[in-house]
């Protein structure tokens, strides 16, 4: 068993603090929505908005990996009733879960 929570999904503090340039493609409607948010002050720039969105996704993926590692160490996953309760509390359904990426 590997400890994925301490892998590259969980870099050491301060890692990646220097910014690198990269090019990504987004649908035109998403770029326009982000530009509108920048225009009304919800983000400093398109780059800042995308950086924050990526940081949130990376943290989510890191948390999910850590949770999966905990279940593996325990030797079992939560039961269907526990998952149903969690979905209800979190306000998500099966279509929004892990299977849809």
């Amino acid at each position: 068993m590997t400890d994925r929570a301490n892998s590259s999904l969980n870099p050491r503090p301060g890692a990646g603090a220097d910014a690198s340039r990269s090019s990504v493609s987004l649908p035109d409607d998403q770029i326009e929505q982000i530009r509108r948010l920048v225009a009304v002050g919800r983000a400093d720039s398109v780059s800042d908005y995308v950086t924050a969105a990526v940081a949130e996704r990376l943290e989510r993926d890191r948390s999910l990996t850590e949770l999966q590692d905990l279940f593996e160490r325990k030797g079992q996953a939560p039961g269907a009733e526990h998952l149903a309760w969690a979905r209800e509390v979190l306000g998500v359904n099966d279509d929004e879960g892990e299977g849809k990426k």
Side-chain angles (χ1 to χ4, degrees):
M1 175 175 62
T2 61
D3 188 1
R4 290 182 303 240
N6 289 319
S7 70
S8 61
L9 288 178
N10 191 18
R12 67 187 187 288
D18 296 327
S20 297
R21 283 186 91 59
S22 184
S23 177
V24 297
S25 297
L26 296 172
D28 291 339
D29 63 322
Q30 289 181 354
I31 291 291
E32 184 56 37
Q33 289 176 43
I34 295 169
R35 287 182 178 146
R36 278 190 238 127
L37 292 169
V38 170
V40 297
R42 298 283 307 270
D44 291 335
S45 66
V46 171
S47 181
D48 285 347
Y49 186 92
V50 172
T51 298
V54 169
E56 287 177 21
R57 176 63 187 261
L58 288 171
E59 176 59 21
R60 175 181 174 255
D61 288 344
R62 186 205 58 77
S63 296
L64 289 171
T65 299
E66 186 174 337
L67 185 60
Q68 184 177 358
D69 284 342
L70 290 170
F71 288 137
E72 286 177 3
R73 284 194 291 271
K74 183 179 176 188
Q76 68 183 50
E81 68 279 0
H82 294 108
L83 293 174
W85 173 84
R87 284 186 189 98
E88 182 179 338
V89 168
L90 295 172
V92 298
N93 61 41
D94 290 335
D95 293 339
E96 298 170 1
E98 274 295 298
K100 188 173 185 176
K101 287 189 176 181

